[in-house]
Amino acid sequence: VRSELHFDAVVIGAGTAGLVAATRLAEGGARVCVLAKGVGSTHLAPGTIDVLGHAPARVDEPGRAVGELVAAHPDHPYALLGVDAVGEALAWLAERIAAGPLPGYRYVGSLERNHLLPTAVGAVRPSALVPETMAGGDLRSDDPVCIVGTRVLRDFHGALCAANLAKAGIAARSVEVAIEVDRADANAVGLARRFDDPAWRASFAAQLAPLLQGDERVGLPATLGSKDPHGAWADLEQRLGRRVFEIPTLPPSVPGMRLFEVLRSSLRGAGGRLILGAAVASADRADGRVAAVNAHAAGRDVRYVAPSFVLATGGFASGAIELGSDWIARDTVLGLPLRGAPAPGEQRFVREYLAEQPMARVGVAVDAQLRAEGAENVLVAGAALPGAVPWRELSGEGIAVASGFRAASTILSQATAGATA
Amino acid sequence: MTDVFSDLLVAEELRGSLDHCVKCTICETQCPVSNVTPLFLGPKYTGPQAERYRVADQPSVERSVDYCSGCGICTQVCPQGVKIAEINAQARNKLKRQKGVPLRDRIITRPTWLGRLGTPLAPLANLSLRLRPLRILGEKVLKVHRDAPAPAFAGRRFSRWAHKRTSPKTGRRVVYFHGCGTEYYEPWEGEKVVAILEHNGFEVEVPKQDCCGLPLQSSGLFDDARKVVLRLARALAPHVRDDDTIIVGNATSCTLMLKREAREILALADDPDLKLVSERTYDICELLLELHDRGELRTDFKPVEEHIAYHAPCQQQGHWIGKPALELFALIPGLQVTEMTARCCGIAGTYGLKAEKYDIAMDVGRELFSQVEASGAATVACDSETCRWQIAHGTKRPAAHPIDYLHRAYGLDG
């Protein structure tokens, strides 16, 4: 007894890179299936598409800065992708979001200029493509900001955020609104469900309005609704008569969940399958190719056979890449060769935690077309790629979107070429 | 097998997974119960976090885990592979041992007893289930909510029908596990499963069988659940000792119990009969889709001009096979399907029947009910019988198993 299913392409991983690749494949007519151990990075990331934020100085023009980065780092994922491909992928994603299941919800921005968005601790995040609901917080504008905190959301301190912004020379202050919840505290998702309710929103706005001054714009934790965030945001702007913007929170990330929902819905709409819980346990490899992967299902493994695979499993954070006690890094999913690890004897880590860690550039070795070394029908996308340090560069989502898009395009053009031949 | 020592071993195996928890809170975002009630603190708090304070031989300090419905979504969405739902099931069992088991939980977790009692008295039993004063009495005495969905006894048993007939000999044998829902409440579902399998060239064998023990397990009555599931494994295993005969079932939560939950939660991973049954068991839609993938499914489908809503129940999602019913529906001309994205209907087997949990279950289901209404669909397809009863209760629309539509499309409904 052996369970076996056939697809045109199998994508491993349900983060941004995997969902972009799968959606694009499905739209291109491929029978595609996404296999994932669980929900991916979307629910943890801020939901912005950061292309390049630091290089290492703050980046204002991401398109131009990517070009410079590519020239200096030929091993960087952007060097394989090219800046035009990044722009194309971003435009595609923005269209999917605008046409998605959340009415009116859209992303704004381009590779021309980065937005400068406040983070939850009042730092500045340069980001290329951001939810419209966040764009009002752009600190390139001099308008004063008022950050609204609430005690029940313990991961978001309005006073801390405003104080740090003020230190950076931004006119910022904070106010607090009391919210009643039926438990000790609330997380961002719980709060977002409340903002879905128009009556609740109205009473929140009524409580907040008298606390605001002058021409302040209003920064709120990114919890303005899960079902109709555009409606909730526009409603608050209208009720308060001023600009309102969301500030990404610590996980769980409501804007990230919205992005997941957009991509999931686009994938399903295009006929793709998404299987959560199906952790890939092993692969059948022969002649430099992966013939099939075996994924856990209840009772037995299921063999997924396809001519092409996309490996979008992430890096160290997701557990897809692991550093053993023998100091050897491994791809825990398909066991493919890695690149970017410091050579024996070289420094692997430096003392300062968030500094440029030499080990951080490790990823699955690929050629210029993102084909994995030793498995020519496996295309690699997202944080599994070597050569980037996304949390320092603020480049993770840009790489994920552009490489997922590219991996899918490569598979689709191969299929077309094969059909023509 | 059922001693305290092996309980601890399985607990250790599950507990090992909690070290992978990075506190990312993805499970908290998806938990249908903690998102509607403060009575359940949420999968991360009661699971990976509270588990660190659960010490053998000492009372459990975290009591809200009794309000976990056991839907298993947390385990499914966890990107780190933490067995959250399974850890919480263990904790619920420990709590039950500590607090004692209400009489109610000993009764409603025994579908076989209820079925055998109710079937011969069906008209009377069904009438009493609809009599308000009796339901109020039932709520007061037994703590079964007066409004909870109560299916009607069919008055006949599926197995009686099955044992009176012989499947045409084709040499391609399949063992049918029908479960208690089909046996006592919806025997027609079993008849349709048999018809579809036979239409596709299978020789259907229906061995004498009994409950899978899932209701007992989900209510924390592990010792009884073990006895019941092993009895079923002993009944099914002799029929699949060859190399390729498989077992197929239409009760998706019961097939999941056989495939995975009994082995993982009840410390029965080593039982050879259960292991064999686990590896051979298929959900009906899973089997039909695999046949289709191999080009072996008959596709002589006639149009079914209908708009339906499809809800994949939590336990079906726990098979980790996606939503095969949707792929099968796509083969039926004319059938328009709206996929529901709400995660849970709330019932979770017997959870929503319990007086103290009924309102929570209805709150959980509300999103699904409103999605069904917004879809404009006339009927709802869903793979689990208790979910169908809850959905019918919550939406006032008929709910049917996905195979009903296949049965009609094949023209097997006469």
Side-chain angles (χ1 to χ4, degrees):
Chain A
V1 180
R2 186 173 210 189
S3 290
E4 188 173 286
L5 291 170
H6 294 78
F7 290 91
D8 295 332
V10 168
V11 175
I12 312 170
T16 308
L19 291 174
V20 165
T23 303
R24 171 105 176 94
L25 280 163
E27 286 178 355
R31 290 186 63 249
V32 62
C33 175
V34 179
L35 303 175
K37 196 170 173 181
V39 163
S41 57
T42 44
H43 289 44
L44 311 177
T48 54
I49 308 297
D50 306 345
V51 171
L52 191 61
H54 297 285
R58 195 177 81 199
V59 168
D60 292 326
E61 299 171 49
R64 200 166 59 84
V66 166
E68 289 163 12
L69 179 85
V70 162
H73 296 275
D75 286 341
H76 196 281
Y78 281 141
L80 308 180
L81 295 163
V83 68
D84 293 343
V86 179
E88 190 192 350
L90 257 55
W92 175 89
L93 179 67
E95 274 172 37
R96 295 302 166 284
I97 295 167
L102 306 171
Y105 190 67
R106 63 187 196 107
Y107 274 38
V108 294
S110 71
L111 292 179
E112 297 287 309
R113 304 291 295 182
N114 269 335
H115 301 261
L116 297 182
L117 301 183
T119 72
V121 293
V124 174
R125 180 180 202 94
S127 184
L129 188 66
V130 306
E132 186 184 20
T133 54
M134 291 183 194
D138 198 328
L139 300 169
R140 289 175 297 171
S141 150
D142 291 333
D143 295 343
V145 296
C146 179
I147 310 293
V148 181
T150 169
R151 282 200 181 180
V152 295
L153 187 62
R154 294 186 186 179
D155 289 341
F156 187 90
H157 299 268
L160 172 73
C161 177
N164 281 335
L165 288 174
K167 267 189 216 162
I170 294 151
R173 65 175 195 111
S174 70
V175 295
E176 192 149 296
V177 171
I179 292 176
E180 293 287 316
V181 289
D182 52 10
R183 59 185 86 200
D185 57 1
N187 69 18
V189 177
L191 219 49
R193 290 211 173 84
R194 281 159 200 272
F195 274 104
D196 278 334
D197 173 10
W200 190 89
R201 228 161 41 218
S203 86
F204 176 85
Q207 212 186 328
L208 174 59
L211 307 176
L212 302 169
Q213 302 168 354
D215 53 355
E216 276 174 346
R217 34 188 179 146
V218 182
L220 285 155
T223 57
L224 300 186
S226 54
K227 291 201 178 87
D228 179 16
H230 173 82
W233 165 76
D235 178 48
L236 275 179
E237 284 212 326
Q238 196 258 325
R239 283 178 189 281
L240 297 171
R242 38 181 96 232
R243 295 216 74 176
V244 170
F245 60 94
E246 294 189 296
I247 301 172
T249 62
L250 266 66
S253 163
V254 172
M257 291 171 69
R258 296 175 194 148
L259 184 60
F260 176 86
E261 187 46 30
V262 165
L263 289 170
R264 190 205 63 78
S265 152
S266 308
L267 173 67
R268 292 295 307 162
R273 294 179 74 182
L274 170 63
I275 306 186
L276 291 184
V280 171
S282 63
D284 300 342
R285 291 170 69 174
D287 308 323
R289 293 173 68 83
V290 166
V293 296
N294 303 298
H296 287 322
R300 62 188 164 267
D301 286 355
V302 177
R303 189 167 186 263
Y304 292 87
V305 185
S308 302
F309 293 85
V310 177
L311 184 72
T313 43
F316 283 114
S318 67
I321 295 177
E322 213 171 64
L323 185 65
S325 55
D326 52 6
W327 288 98
I328 295 171
R330 290 180 186 83
D331 158 23
T332 61
V333 183
L334 297 182
L336 294 168
L338 302 186
R339 184 190 295 157
E346 276 181 24
Q347 191 176 23
R348 303 181 187 96
F349 294 100
V350 295
R351 227 161 231 296
E352 198 195 330
Y353 187 71
L354 291 174
E356 163 87 53
Q357 299 288 351
M359 192 51 93
R361 290 186 190 268
V362 175
V364 176
V366 291
D367 68 10
Q369 273 74 48
L370 308 183
R371 277 181 245 276
E373 216 171 76
E376 59 171 24
N377 64 332
V378 176
L379 290 118
V380 184
L385 286 168
V389 190
W391 63 89
R392 282 181 67 77
E393 301 165 353
L394 294 185
S395 60
E397 295 296 306
I399 293 171
V401 173
S403 60
F405 190 81
R406 166 66 67 79
S409 305
T410 304
I411 292 171
L412 290 171
S413 64
Q414 278 170 354
T416 315
T420 317
Chain B
M1 203 44 85
T2 63
D3 59 31
V4 174
F5 182 63
S6 64
D7 274 7
L8 286 177
L9 274 183
V10 77
E12 277 313 306
E13 200 179 308
L14 295 173
R15 280 187 105 186
S17 76
L18 72 81
D19 285 339
H20 294 279
C21 176
V22 297
K23 310 287 182 276
C24 73
T25 68
I26 282 176
C27 59
E28 301 277 321
T29 68
Q30 308 287 312
C31 173
V33 178
S34 68
N35 277 306
V36 300
T37 174
L39 293 172
F40 178 50
L41 294 178
K44 178 177 71 110
Y45 291 106
T46 56
Q49 275 167 220
E51 186 65 16
R52 296 177 195 278
Y53 299 96
R54 289 191 191 101
V55 180
D57 309 326
Q58 285 184 27
S60 190
V61 291
E62 204 293 306
R63 283 162 177 262
S64 87
V65 73
D66 183 47
Y67 279 89
C68 161
S69 75
C71 71
I73 289 171
C74 45
T75 295
Q76 200 211 353
V77 298
C78 175
Q80 305 290 345
V82 183
K83 299 276 185 187
I84 311 164
E86 292 74 11
I87 289 170
N88 284 335
Q90 290 278 330
R92 210 157 46 242
N93 168 248
K94 183 171 179 176
L95 197 65
K96 277 275 156 77
R97 281 196 240 164
Q98 205 172 300
K99 288 199 331 187
V101 179
L103 175 66
R104 184 234 6 235
D105 290 11
R106 295 201 183 277
I107 295 174
I108 62 171
T109 56
R110 296 287 190 171
T112 310
W113 297 353
L114 295 171
R116 287 196 182 142
L117 196 68
T119 300
L121 309 168
L124 188 63
N126 292 338
L127 181 65
S128 2
L129 286 170
R130 268 139 200 82
L131 281 181
R132 197 73 186 159
L134 278 178
R135 289 297 299 265
I136 293 172
L137 189 69
E139 181 177 301
K140 298 245 185 284
V141 178
L142 274 180
K143 309 275 183 278
V144 173
H145 198 281
R146 64 185 73 174
D147 296 322
F153 293 104
R156 61 189 165 98
R157 290 171 62 171
F158 168 74
S159 57
R160 297 281 149 82
W161 174 86
H163 295 155
K164 263 188 256 158
R165 65 190 295 283
T166 316
S167 201
K169 294 265 172 276
T170 62
R172 195 177 184 203
R173 222 158 50 84
V174 65
V175 172
Y176 176 35
F177 163 55
H178 51 72
C180 305
T182 300
E183 174 73 351
Y184 301 108
Y185 300 102
E186 300 178 335
W188 55 87
E189 296 286 1
E191 293 162 21
K192 288 174 186 173
V193 169
V194 170
I196 289 171
L197 290 169
E198 287 178 353
H199 186 67
N200 280 287
F202 284 101
E203 184 182 324
V204 185
E205 195 177 321
V206 185
K208 202 166 154 23
Q209 54 189 273
D210 216 326
C211 179
C212 66
L214 174 60
L216 289 160
Q217 184 257 100
S218 68
S219 287
L221 299 159
F222 281 14
D223 290 342
D224 292 335
R226 282 189 190 102
K227 281 182 207 136
V228 169
V229 74
L230 286 179
R231 193 167 60 214
L232 178 61
R234 307 276 180 264
L236 295 176
H239 298 267
V240 292
R241 294 229 194 269
D242 57 359
D243 285 340
D244 50 8
T245 301
I246 61 161
I247 301 164
V248 64
N250 55 310
T252 199
S253 45
C254 308
T255 51
L256 184 66
M257 178 71 176
L258 288 181
K259 278 181 172 186
R260 183 163 73 82
E261 291 198 334
R263 301 184 70 205
E264 285 185 0
I265 296 174
L266 298 177
L268 296 174
D270 296 332
D271 184 82
D273 284 342
L274 185 59
K275 182 168 187 290
L276 177 66
V277 167
S278 158
E279 288 164 357
R280 296 294 176 88
T281 298
Y282 278 73
D283 195 59
I284 181 74
C285 291
E286 175 188 22
L287 173 67
L288 297 178
L289 186 62
E290 271 188 33
L291 289 175
H292 181 62
D293 193 76
R294 296 206 292 263
E296 293 170 7
L297 184 78
R298 286 184 62 173
T299 52
D300 50 338
F301 294 116
K302 299 182 185 65
V304 174
E305 301 292 344
E306 199 173 313
H307 177 198
I308 65 171
Y310 173 67
H311 170 64
C314 309
Q315 305 286 323
Q316 189 280 332
Q317 287 293 283
H319 287 255
W320 303 336
I321 55 173
K323 299 181 179 177
L326 282 176
E327 323 296 320
L328 294 170
F329 287 148
L331 304 173
I332 302 178
L335 189 67
Q336 190 197 337
V337 185
T338 306
E339 178 186 0
M340 300 293 99
T341 57
R343 281 206 163 261
C344 182
C345 73
I347 195 77
T350 55
Y351 182 90
L353 306 180
K354 299 171 181 170
E356 74 280 13
K357 288 162 183 145
Y358 171 83
D359 289 332
I360 298 173
M362 292 304 283
D363 282 346
V364 167
R366 199 142 289 136
E367 192 180 342
L368 174 64
F369 306 153
S370 59
Q371 280 187 12
V372 167
E373 268 153 41
S375 75
T379 62
V380 187
C382 173
D383 314 64
S384 154
E385 60 270 16
T386 54
C387 304
R388 287 197 294 276
W389 300 333
Q390 168 85 342
I391 292 167
H393 174 58
T395 66
K396 312 287 175 232
R397 281 172 176 76
H401 193 286
I403 54 127
D404 281 39
Y405 302 91
L406 294 167
H407 187 259
R408 273 163 61 195
Y410 275 134
L412 295 169
D413 53 347

